[in-house]
C-alpha cells in the first residue's frame, strides 16, 4: 500500500508517493507555474527494474485540478501507482491550523471549514491548500485524506511563550498570538536526534534550527515544543532569505509616518526585500560565501547578522530549557553550511557547546554528530524530511 503526500501552493503542487512498507519513495516531483502556458512538470520515479527515471515537461496547465490530474495520469502510466486501490491515504501539508489543530486530522467537511476559517491567518497558503484538498477528494474518492499542520507541533507551547504583551482582547477576539511554523520539520529532526542520542523523544531536550530560505528555531522539552521563533506569521525570529525576522515594531510606524508606506508596501519590504537579500543583494547562502571570498563587505555583514541572531536564540532557548541534550542543524543552510555552524557556535563553549571542526567540515550529507567528544551539549546535523514525516503522520492518523 502507498501514501501520497501533497503540498499545494498558490502556483505549484509538490508531491511524493511512498511505499508504506519500508517508506521508500516510489515517485516524487512537482508542477510549477500552474495557470501559465509553460507550466513545468518535474516527475521522478523508480521503474520496474529499480532504475531511477526523470521527466521534465512543459505544458499549459490551467488549474490545480488539471495539475493533479496530470500527476495522477503520470503515476498510472509509469506504474508508480498502477491502480488507485493501492492508495491507502493522502496527506496534505497545511501551513496554518490556528488553535484548532494539535494533531494530524482526518479531513471531513468540518475540518475543511475550519481550514477555510483560518484563511485570514494564512492568506497566501491556506486557500491553495484548500484547492489541493478539494481536487484530491474528487480524484481519490473514498481514500482517507489527512491534513498535517505546520503549526500543530507548536500547540504545546505554554501561554507565557505564545502570548504577546499586547491587550488581552487582541488575543481573545482576533487570535493574535505566536503560532510557530516548520513544525513538521522540527518534529522530524527532533525525533531523529533523540534516536541518535539513544534517548526516547519524550525525554529529550533539544534546540532545533531549521535554516532554509525560511528559518526558525524551536526549544523542545521532553519531546514537546515549548517555544519557537516564528510568530503569528513566519516573519518573526531569525534572519531569513528575504524576511527580516525580529525587528522593533516601531520601525513600521516610522516607515508609515516618514516614508508614507502603506501596509502592502511594508509587507513587501519585510517579507520579500529584507533578510539576507536586503542586506547584501542576494539570498542564496552559497552566493554569499562566494562574495565574501572576493572581499564583499555587505555579504560579510549579512552572514555576521544571520549568525549573531542565531546565537542569541540558542542562548535564549538554553535559558528556557535549562538542560539541553543537543542542538540540531537542518534545512539547506543548516545541513550544508559548515561555516555558518562554526560562526554560530563560536564562543558557546562555556555553555557546553563545542564543535569538532573536522567533523563539522566533513564532506557527508547523512545524519551526523559534529560536536567534540566531550561537549556536554551534542551538536547534530540532520537532513530534514518533511514529506516522510507527513506520510508517517498520515498513516498514523488513518490508523
Ligand atoms: P527552502 O526553505 O526554500 O526549502 P532550503 O531548505 O532548500 O530552502 O534552503 C535554501 C538555502 O540553503 C539557500 O540559502 C541556499 O543557498 C542554502 N544552501 C543550499 N546548499 C548549500 C550549501 N552547499 N552551502 C551553503 N548553503 C547552501
Amino acid at each position: 500500500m502507498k501514501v501520497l503526500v501533497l503540498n499545494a501552493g498558490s502556483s505549484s503542487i509538490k508531491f511524493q508517493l511512498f511505499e508504506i512498507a519500508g517508506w521508500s519513495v516510489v515517485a516524487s516531483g512537482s508542477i510549477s507555474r500552474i495557470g501559465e502556458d509553460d507550466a513545468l512538470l518535474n516527475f521522478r520515479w523508480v521503474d520496474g527494474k529499480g532504475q531511477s527515471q526523470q521527466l521534465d515537461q512543459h505544458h499549459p496547465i490551467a488549474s490545480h485540478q488539471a495539475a493533479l490530474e496530470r500527476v495522477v495520469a503520470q503515476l498510472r502510466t509509469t506504474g508508480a501507482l498502477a491502480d488507485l486501490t493501492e492508495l491507502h491515504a493522502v496527506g496534505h501539508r497545511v501551513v496554518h491550523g490556528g488553535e484548532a489543530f494539535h494533531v494530524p486530522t482526518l479531513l471531513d467537511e468540518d475540518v475543511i471549514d475550519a481550514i477555510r476559517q483560518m484563511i485570514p491567518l494564512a492568506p497566501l497558503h491556506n486557500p491553495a491548500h484548500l484547492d489541493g484538498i478539494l481536487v484530491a477528494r474528487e480524484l481519490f474518492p473514498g481514500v482517507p485524506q489527512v491534513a498535517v499542520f505546520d503549526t500543530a507541533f507548536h500547540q504545546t507551547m505554554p501561554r507565557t511563550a505564545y502570548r504577546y504583551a499586547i491587550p488581552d482582547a487582541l488575543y481573545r477576539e482576533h487570535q493574535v498570538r505566536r503560532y510557530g511554523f516548520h513544525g513538521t520539520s522540527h518534529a522530524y529532526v527532533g525525533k531523529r536526534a533523540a534516536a541518535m542520542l539513544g534517548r526516547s523523544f519524550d525525554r529529550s531536550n533539544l534546540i532545533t534550527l531549521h535554516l532554509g530560505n525560511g528559518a526558525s528555531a524551536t526549544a523542545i522539552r521532553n519531546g514537546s515544543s515549548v517555544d519557537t521563533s516564528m510568530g503569528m506569521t513566519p516573519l518573526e525570529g531569525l534572519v531569513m532569505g528575504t524576511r527580516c525576522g525580529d525587528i522593533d515594531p516601531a520601525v513600521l510606524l516610522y516607515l508609515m509616518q516618514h516614508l508614507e508606506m502603506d501596509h502592502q508596501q511594508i509587507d513587501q519590504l519585510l517579507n520579500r526585500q529584507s533578510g539576507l537579500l536586503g542586506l547584501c543583494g542576494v539570498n542564496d547562502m552559497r552566493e554569499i560565501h562566494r562574495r565574501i571570498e572576493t572581499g564583499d563587505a555587505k555579504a560579510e555583514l549579512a552572514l555576521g547578522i544571520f549568525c549573531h541572531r542565531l546565537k542569541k536564540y540558542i542562548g535564549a532557548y538554553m535559558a528556557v530549557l535549562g538542560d539541553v541534550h543537543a542542538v540540531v542543524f537542518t534545512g539547506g543552510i543548516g545541513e550544508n553550511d559548515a561555516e555558518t555552524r562554526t560562526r554560530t557556535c563560536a564562543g558557546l563553549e562555556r555553555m557546553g557547546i563545542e564543535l569538532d571542526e573536522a567533523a563539522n567540515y566533513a564532506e557527508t550529507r547523512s545524519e551526523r554528530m559534529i560536536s567534540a567528544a566531550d561537549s556536554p551539549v551534542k551538536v547534530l546535523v540532520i537532513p530534514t524530511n518533511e514529506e516522510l514525516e507527513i506520510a508517517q503522520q498520515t498513516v498514523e492518523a488513518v490508523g
Side-chain angles (χ1 to χ4, degrees):
M1 292 300 281
K2 291 166 184 167
V3 56
L4 179 65
V5 172
L6 291 178
N7 181 356
S10 54
S11 65
S12 70
I13 292 183
K14 294 188 199 133
F15 63 91
Q16 265 192 40
L17 182 69
F18 291 86
E19 179 76 59
I20 295 174
W23 296 110
S24 59
V25 177
V26 188
S28 66
S30 61
I31 293 196
S32 46
R33 300 201 287 270
I34 295 172
E36 293 180 33
D37 285 344
D38 67 337
L40 172 66
L41 166 71
N42 165 266
F43 193 93
R44 296 180 297 275
W45 74 102
V46 180
D47 69 13
K49 296 182 189 128
Q51 301 288 319
S52 297
Q53 304 287 349
Q54 175 161 345
L55 173 84
D56 290 304
Q57 265 180 358
H58 289 272
H59 280 288
I61 292 180
S63 62
H64 283 72
Q65 169 100 27
L68 210 48
E69 280 172 2
R70 187 77 194 75
V71 170
V72 172
Q74 203 62 42
L75 289 170
R76 290 193 139 171
T77 44
T78 55
L81 189 69
D83 192 324
L84 286 188
T85 58
E86 290 174 64
L87 193 58
H88 178 65
V90 180
H92 295 268
R93 174 189 179 220
V94 179
V95 164
H96 220 306
E99 290 191 330
F101 299 105
H102 299 223
V103 289
T105 305
L106 213 49
L107 281 159
D108 60 17
E109 298 311 324
D110 290 345
V111 175
I112 290 175
D113 224 36
I115 296 172
R116 194 170 286 125
Q117 277 166 26
M118 243 100 58
I119 287 177
L121 291 173
L124 296 180
H125 290 102
N126 276 20
H129 301 322
L130 281 169
D131 270 358
I133 288 168
L134 296 177
V135 172
R137 277 174 34 119
E138 248 182 83
L139 289 181
F140 311 116
V143 176
Q145 315 231 0
V146 174
V148 180
F149 300 92
D150 272 21
T151 47
F153 181 61
H154 300 300
Q155 279 296 305
T156 48
M157 281 188 289
R159 272 179 294 203
T160 45
Y162 73 69
R163 286 288 301 274
Y164 293 124
I166 53 176
D168 189 61
L170 288 173
Y171 168 62
R172 306 253 163 245
E173 291 161 28
H174 299 283
Q175 298 82 47
V176 178
R177 52 159 285 181
R178 177 185 312 286
Y179 292 96
F181 300 87
H182 288 146
T184 314
S185 177
H186 289 291
Y188 175 80
V189 299
K191 287 181 213 168
R192 292 302 314 151
M196 284 175 76
L197 297 173
R199 309 182 66 91
S200 68
F201 186 43
D202 61 11
R203 299 193 60 185
S204 298
N205 289 358
L206 305 163
I207 298 173
T208 49
L209 307 170
H210 178 108
L211 312 176
N213 259 315
S216 66
T218 295
I220 297 175
R221 177 183 289 128
N222 294 330
S224 297
S225 170
V226 292
D227 204 353
T228 193
S229 60
M230 282 179 167
M232 172 157 159
T233 78
L235 182 54
E236 194 179 345
L238 301 176
V239 175
M240 309 182 211
T242 64
R243 298 186 199 125
C244 60
D246 293 338
I247 190 170
D248 179 352
V251 170
L252 280 67
L253 306 179
Y254 181 86
L255 297 175
M256 290 159 76
Q257 217 174 350
H258 294 279
L259 299 182
E260 295 183 355
M261 294 178 83
D262 61 23
H263 75 275
Q264 279 161 330
Q265 290 169 313
I266 292 179
D267 180 5
Q268 274 295 106
L269 179 84
L270 301 182
N271 273 305
R272 308 224 170 261
Q273 299 163 352
S274 294
L276 297 171
L277 178 72
L279 286 166
C280 72
V282 285
N283 61 336
D284 187 317
M285 193 53 102
R286 287 161 293 195
E287 177 59 21
I288 289 177
H289 285 296
R290 281 192 281 273
R291 293 189 180 191
I292 290 173
E293 295 266 301
T294 67
D296 184 326
K298 286 184 182 169
E300 171 61 39
L301 179 62
L303 179 62
I305 295 174
F306 184 91
C307 296
H308 176 73
R309 183 82 52 87
L310 206 45
K311 193 191 289 281
K312 287 211 302 195
Y313 269 94
I314 293 175
Y317 289 169
M318 299 230 13
V320 166
L321 293 170
D323 181 24
V324 178
H325 301 120
V327 174
V328 184
F329 283 88
T330 192
I333 299 171
E335 292 164 30
N336 297 301
D337 191 353
E339 189 176 341
T340 290
R341 296 191 297 255
T342 295
R343 289 195 189 206
T344 301
C345 296
L348 300 184
E349 297 78 12
R350 289 286 291 275
M351 295 171 78
I353 297 174
E354 193 173 344
L355 289 187
D356 170 342
E357 284 302 346
N360 183 33
Y361 276 89
E363 292 282 336
T364 159
R365 301 187 59 81
S366 50
E367 295 178 350
R368 60 205 184 271
M369 190 170 294
I370 59 166
S371 43
D374 56 355
S375 179
V377 177
K378 305 301 174 203
V379 183
L380 309 174
V381 175
I382 301 182
T384 195
N385 194 339
E386 289 161 277
E387 292 77 14
L388 176 60
E389 180 70 17
I390 293 174
Q392 293 180 337
Q393 292 195 7
T394 295
V395 170
E396 225 169 273
V398 170

